[in-house]
Amino acid sequence: MVPHLITALTGPINELEQRILDSMPAIERWFRLEWMEHQPPFYTSVDIRNAGFKLAPVDSNLFPGGWNNLTTEMLPLAVQAAMAAIEKICPEARNLLIIPENHQRNTFYLANVVQLQRIFNMAGLNVRVGSISPEIKKPTLIKLPNGDSVTLEPVVRTKRRLGLKDFDPCTILLNNDLLAGPPGILEEIHEQYLLPPLHAGRSVRRLSTHFKNYEEVAKRLGKMLGIDPWLINPMYSQCAAVDGTGGKGLGQLQTTVDALLAKVRRKYKEYGINEKPFVTVKADNGRPDMGIMTVRETKDLDALQRKVRHMMVFGKDGQPASALIVQEGVLTRERVNDAIAEPVVYMMDRYVVGGFYRIHAERGDDESPPDAGFVPLAFEHSTPSPQSGVRPGVSGPNRFYMYGVVARLAMLAASYELEATNPDAEVYD
């Protein structure tokens, strides 16, 4: 069942769904050709917002947690994708080492690690979990509330390899977003496959770079579908000169916000949308600990100056944000039991393997719900395949196919991004 939509069944989002379904062969061929030229990220999750009149990604995570939210029915897809990904990178792979976040007290996160361990074990690999946390000095068994358990073992580093005592992996899977930068123990590894690469970490990535690439691929897909790319693309602007320590640059931020709000208002007028536009302001380096501000009028920034300064100065580990990104806000008009529902799509290699709704009953439709609840994306007839001959807005698989197209578009943008920031890439004059 598709969660309740406020928009009418004949609304714009259903017209977009129909256009995407009608163009499915062309879309799949286009993606297939793109993946012949570009390497997809190893795994990706994409947060999507459905406003009823547009559908757009608001964040792409290249070190996704939350795999424990995928249902049992989704696991075969994940296992098949894991096999394809590993065979492409290291066909003879036998041992896989997962390096998680240093959240050994967060049992919900560790349930995600157990699910990853299960997926890759079913894909034919010996899988163990190695921690780089200084608190893990010996193999530590942690029992989880759901009855599962995970053993965290201290990572052992030799001159050129990383592993565990009596366990030498050929492939290392990072489920650690490297927010504070890559630790030395992970650097200069040349004899093993490190997935994703270090330059995919949050300390290196910039949201403005990602959404610049997303804008490019959205325009190309929009041209192929014959649609305005704005319907699948959140407009944005970077504000690079804000100095939180002295409050300098807040005038530039106000100008940037005002200009983007004006652009959104024009789009709303063009499409006859009777909603008040808003933008979100966040750190360009995507640091979740610095928060997200919702701004509806430039005068709102006067009251938010203290929050801006805090965002720019007091990041995790004392690392300030060097720039801000101002992004068009996208409403969330989907509901699960009257709670705001934000679709999250999970992918491995180039394949969509599942997803869920992140929900929160106390948030508004212009706010990003925190991780308060999760509802699996329901598949009718236990299959994610689109159903032909079904009107838009009725079939869960058809709606999820549309989500998957937008999510894969964001994954393709991430692929472009990683190619451009790869420190080992050859440079030609």
Side-chain angles (χ1 to χ4, degrees), residues 179 202-203 205-207 283-287 290 320-323:
L179 188 60
R202 284 192 182 271
S203 63
R205 295 186 67 206
R206 295 294 176 265
L207 291 177
D284 193 22
N285 59 6
R287 298 183 67 93
M290 294 185 181
S322 59

Side-chain angles (χ1 to χ4, degrees), residues 119-174:
I119 289 169
F120 286 98
N121 184 255
M122 293 171 68
L125 295 167
N126 301 313
V127 187
R128 287 164 68 174
V129 182
S131 176
I132 58 175
S133 169
E135 295 182 25
I136 301 298
K137 296 180 171 59
K138 62 180 182 179
T140 304
L141 176 67
I142 300 176
K143 295 184 179 180
L144 307 182
N146 64 359
D148 287 334
S149 62
V150 59
T151 299
L152 302 180
E153 302 180 64
V155 166
V156 176
R157 176 66 194 259
T158 60
K159 185 175 181 180
R160 299 178 66 86
R161 297 183 71 85
L162 200 66
L164 306 175
K165 182 181 179 181
D166 302 322
F167 186 76
D168 184 29
C170 60
T171 306
I172 300 164
L173 178 64
L174 294 179

Side-chain angles (χ1 to χ4, degrees), residues 50-104:
N50 181 352
F53 53 84
K54 78 178 292 179
L55 183 76
V58 294
D59 190 33
S60 300
N61 189 350
L62 302 185
F63 299 85
W67 288 91
N68 51 308
N69 292 310
L70 300 189
T71 64
T72 302
E73 291 76 15
M74 296 176 186
L75 284 186
L77 292 174
V79 172
Q80 290 177 358
M83 287 179 176
I86 291 295
E87 287 171 4
K88 183 190 302 180
I89 295 165
C90 183
E92 68 277 10
R94 177 181 300 172
N95 296 333
L96 175 77
L97 177 66
I98 298 176
I99 297 183
E101 300 276 1
N102 296 337
H103 298 327
Q104 55 265 24

Side-chain angles (χ1 to χ4, degrees), residues 22 44 46 175 245 282 347-348 361:
D22 291 343
T44 314
V46 177
N175 196 241
T245 56
K282 43 194 171 184
M347 294 162 288
M348 191 171 292

